[in-house]
Amino acid sequence: MRPRYRQVGSLRCKQPARPPNGRSSVSETSSADLVIVANRLPVDRIVDADGEVRWQTSPGGLVTALEPVIRAARGAWVGWPGSADVALDPFEVDGMTLIPMTLSASDVELYYEGFSNDTIWPLYHDVIAPPRYRRIWWEAYERVNRRFAEAAAAAVAPGGTVWVHDYQLQLVPRLVRELRPDVTIGYFHHIPFPAYGLYSQLPWRRQVLDGLLGADVIGFQRVADAGNFLRAVRRQLPYPTNKSRVIVTDASGMQRSVTAKPFPISIDVAEYQQIAQRPEVIARAAEIRQELGNPRAILLGVDRLDYTKGIRHRLKAFGELLQDGQLSVTDVALVQVASPSRERVAAYMQLRDEIELTVGRINGVFDTTGHTAIRYLHHSYPRDEMVALYLAADVMLVTALRDGMNLVAKEYVAVRGDTGGVLVLSEFAGAADQLQGALLINPHDIDGMKDAMMVAVNMPHADQTRRMRAMQRRLKRDDVAAWAEAFLQELHAHDRTPHADA
């Protein structure tokens, strides 16, 4: 039986900052059997009003999945604490060794906001917004990736494992291999990998592919993403491929096999179900419905404020349904949670303006004194409040234009139980491969989305529960624990494969 993964609450660190003598509570040369490398640490640094520092576990599936693995494996996590120019020594939180990376304000601007989020993010999401290619950003990306790799190489034990995560660190696998050829290296790509016709635009396309191929196993969310990566390798690099394997020849002439295949990430289903059963969460869901005027149906969207999420398309479809008279604000309300995201990036500032103007226009036309068409919430909310919103909502709208997975869709399904509910899900989200009980849509087809929304609002309860139960069975089988276990098993099995002409 797999160990259950649990969320750690607010925790105080043993070593919140560099002490006056410059010594750390964790040895700079300590070795870990497993090192996780991600852009962010799994904890958020909170400074209280009295100046005391505490660390709170970050929300999200990745932390939930990997936290117990690290503790069990005597592991460490390399990542950025989230603030510029904050220098911290390695410290421990609840049995996890955390190795903070210091990023200057320039690093944040060039490596993170620039190359990661203004070049790679739009390019890998089908160029929904135009990517920008700036050499100074690429140089910063190389520089920061090397620092992450050096920290991981210094932390990992002889013969240990390094597991790198996501698009901000695509060069790290190769750099770690150069520094530590004795270790096993995995990489997981959380966002889509684009088709070759788009990927080929990247001026540094070969360098990125070569960086990823430093890993022994490269994981993707969908079969299509792995296929896009392998096609890019065949077009750009002189390495033969065979199904999911690439035969890489290192500078020394030695050959080794790299596996590239899908490992769709998931959530801790049991935890979400436990939250949904708490009396105070159930009461809060009822309170939300009452605050909205107890409409016949509540539609819900929960997204980061990002141009990939299809929020504008969703609002357009809902507005037209009101205009056509198919829906009425006295019967149906839309709640849109749009958590702040990358607020210093120009494309995101423009997106926020457009969405808020659209919400204001629709509400101005269709609101009554007792009913609001769209309740727009530009906030982040704690997990309990999100689960209450899921319980209150009759229809969940996940209309992403492109998404690696979209865990919100899985969270909604996990908590619904026998209460029914309908998931309207974009076919361009990775979750569509697994949640076949959803109403699948093409978010670019506004008429098709409107039809799906009307089917969802009017679906009989028996059909809702039948679909939900089927999707929940799939989620329980393929939860976040299964995801982590499958990837690590593949990685460890690969380590026993002879590095020869496979």
Side-chain angles (χ1 to χ4, degrees), residues 120 124-125 141 163-170 186-194 199 208 212 217-222 225-226 229 261 263-265 404-405 483 487:
I120 292 296
Y124 283 28
H125 285 85
Y141 188 80
W163 191 0
V164 185
H165 287 268
D166 222 2
Y167 64 103
Q168 301 96 343
L169 302 172
Q170 294 176 98
Y187 172 88
F188 187 76
H189 196 74
H190 292 257
I191 68 172
F193 196 91
Y199 180 77
V208 169
L212 293 171
V217 176
I218 306 172
F220 297 92
Q221 300 280 24
R222 309 182 80 171
D225 296 322
F229 171 77
K261 59 189 291 188
F263 297 88
I265 198 170
M405 177 52 61
W483 166 78
F487 188 94

Side-chain angles (χ1 to χ4, degrees), residues 33-73:
D33 294 327
L34 172 65
V35 175
I36 302 297
V37 189
N39 181 64
R40 290 293 299 271
L41 288 174
V43 292
D44 295 323
R45 186 173 185 262
I46 308 297
V47 182
D48 294 335
D50 59 3
E52 183 179 3
V53 175
R54 62 185 176 89
W55 295 88
Q56 180 172 297
T57 302
S58 304
L62 182 62
V63 177
T64 303
L66 299 182
E67 168 207 325
V69 176
I70 289 178
R71 288 203 305 268

Side-chain angles (χ1 to χ4, degrees), residues 113-311:
E113 295 175 350
F115 194 81
S116 295
N117 291 321
D118 214 357
T119 299
I120 292 296
W121 180 268
L123 176 65
Y124 283 28
H125 285 85
D126 291 353
V127 194
I128 294 169
R132 294 198 291 164
Y133 306 113
R134 298 189 61 193
R135 285 169 290 182
I136 191 172
W137 290 355
W138 166 252
E139 291 163 1
Y141 188 80
E142 284 187 300
R143 183 171 61 252
V144 173
N145 270 239
R146 183 168 296 279
R147 283 162 43 199
F148 272 84
E150 289 169 351
V156 66
T161 299
V162 175
W163 191 0
V164 185
H165 287 268
D166 222 2
Y167 64 103
Q168 301 96 343
L169 302 172
Q170 294 176 98
L171 307 182
V172 169
R174 170 65 65 187
L175 295 169
V176 170
R177 182 164 298 281
E178 292 172 356
L179 295 167
R180 293 293 304 275
D182 61 298
V183 303
T184 303
I185 304 169
Y187 172 88
F188 187 76
H189 196 74
H190 292 257
I191 68 172
F193 196 91
Y196 179 73
L198 297 177
Y199 180 77
S200 61
Q201 296 179 21
L202 185 65
W204 308 278
R205 55 199 182 185
R206 291 191 179 186
Q207 294 95 315
V208 169
L209 293 175
D210 190 61
L212 293 171
L213 288 170
D216 296 296
V217 176
I218 306 172
F220 297 92
Q221 300 280 24
R222 309 182 80 171
V223 172
D225 296 322
N228 288 341
F229 171 77
L230 291 167
R231 279 187 285 276
V233 170
R234 286 193 292 269
R235 295 290 295 272
Q236 288 294 323
L237 298 173
Y239 301 141
T241 63
N242 180 15
K243 296 183 178 178
S244 63
R245 307 184 82 180
V246 182
I247 308 304
V248 177
T249 303
D250 287 336
S252 63
M254 293 290 293
Q255 287 189 326
R256 58 185 184 84
S257 173
V258 178
T259 298
K261 59 189 291 188
F263 297 88
I265 198 170
S266 192
I267 63 171
D268 189 335
V269 176
E271 180 179 1
Y272 275 92
Q273 291 179 334
Q274 289 169 6
I275 295 172
Q277 293 168 5
R278 294 177 187 167
E280 66 273 19
V281 174
I282 296 172
R284 174 59 184 146
E287 184 180 17
I288 290 170
R289 292 194 70 94
Q290 185 174 5
E291 290 172 353
L292 293 171
N294 287 314
R296 179 170 67 90
I298 296 174
L299 282 62
L300 175 64
V302 175
D303 311 89
R304 282 191 309 103
L305 189 59
D306 192 290
Y307 47 75
T308 66
K309 300 301 183 181
I311 301 173

